[in-house]
Amino acid sequence: MNFNKIVTDEVCLKRIGLFGGTFDPIHFGHLRAALEVREAFALDETCLIPSAIPPHKIKSCVTKIDQRLAMIQLALGNSPLFTVSDIELKRLGPSYSIDTVDYFKSLYPDGSRLFLIMGVDAFLEIHTWKAYNELFQGISIVVMTRPAGIKEINADSVKTIGAYLKDRISTGYHYSDKNSAYIHTSLPDVHVFKVSPLDISSSMIRNLVKQGKSIRFFLPDKVVNYINNQGLYR
Ligand code: ATP
């Protein structure tokens, strides 16, 4: 099965990637994956969107949004590669992706193309999200592979994603080898995109801090220093 054959020759005004997550903390797994998607999909802009109160993590203890935002800003520095949005900070109540996608749709003129970027572990929980069916109607989705070790995802992501799509969303999807995507006659594509496997997760980093071990080289030095100075995750 072919991976990562992306068709980018269509005419559209702007190609925008929306990459949401808890980013508690941001790490090289996020950054490298987002960069590879940006290059492959010829994105003009990739926006990192930390979620204020992640609905699926509402009961667990999540670091304050302003600290997670600060860590993203430190990680990005002056890099022109990514932008960061505080839209979910401004909105009251839990963060729902459908509201964020609608907001970004209103920002960009018709003819722009939006891509919702997420890892396969997040994708396979999408049926628990508010109005998830609507998400599939209005935006292309890029599902990034993730090493099986951490998130226990079936190694064959293409098949897992296909089975999930047919089960939960529509039986009308079929895989196009040409586009490395599940395509549908009336819904936007769901791309399966293989990123370099970096077996890094935020929970692993938080656990290392708790155990008093070094987290260096899993995330940018400036973020490591911020975590130490703020006494996070102890
Ligand atoms: P946690 O361990 O706390 O669950 P996480 O490392 O999965 O956190 P999130 O902020 O929850 O990080 O992830 C945001 C998005 O980035 C998700 O869609 C997730 O699948 C994706 N992602 C996170 N780490 C990686 C990685 N190493 N490679 C590819 N995608 C990743």
Side-chain angles (χ1 to χ4, degrees), residues 22-27 30 57 146 150-151 200-209 215 219 233:
T22 315
F23 301 113
D24 189 17
I26 189 164
H27 53 69
H30 297 127
K57 294 185 179 176
R146 235 182 134 165
I150 283 183
K151 297 283 174 178
I200 306 173
S201 70
S202 301
S203 43
M204 181 192 81
I205 291 169
R206 295 194 300 272
N207 285 335
L208 286 173
V209 175
I215 54 172
L219 63 174
Y233 311 130

Side-chain angles (χ1 to χ4, degrees), residues 93-111:
S95 312
Y96 294 110
S97 299
I98 188 74
D99 301 330
T100 301
V101 167
D102 285 345
Y103 165 78
F104 277 94
K105 274 189 198 158
S106 73
L107 277 190
Y108 292 97
D110 287 349

Side-chain angles (χ1 to χ4, degrees), residues 21 50-54 62-65 68 88-91 93-95:
S51 79
I53 309 174
V62 176
T63 304
K64 283 193 230 138
I65 176 88
R68 287 182 286 124
E88 298 203 356
L89 170 68
K90 290 182 185 142
R91 205 186 299 131
S95 312

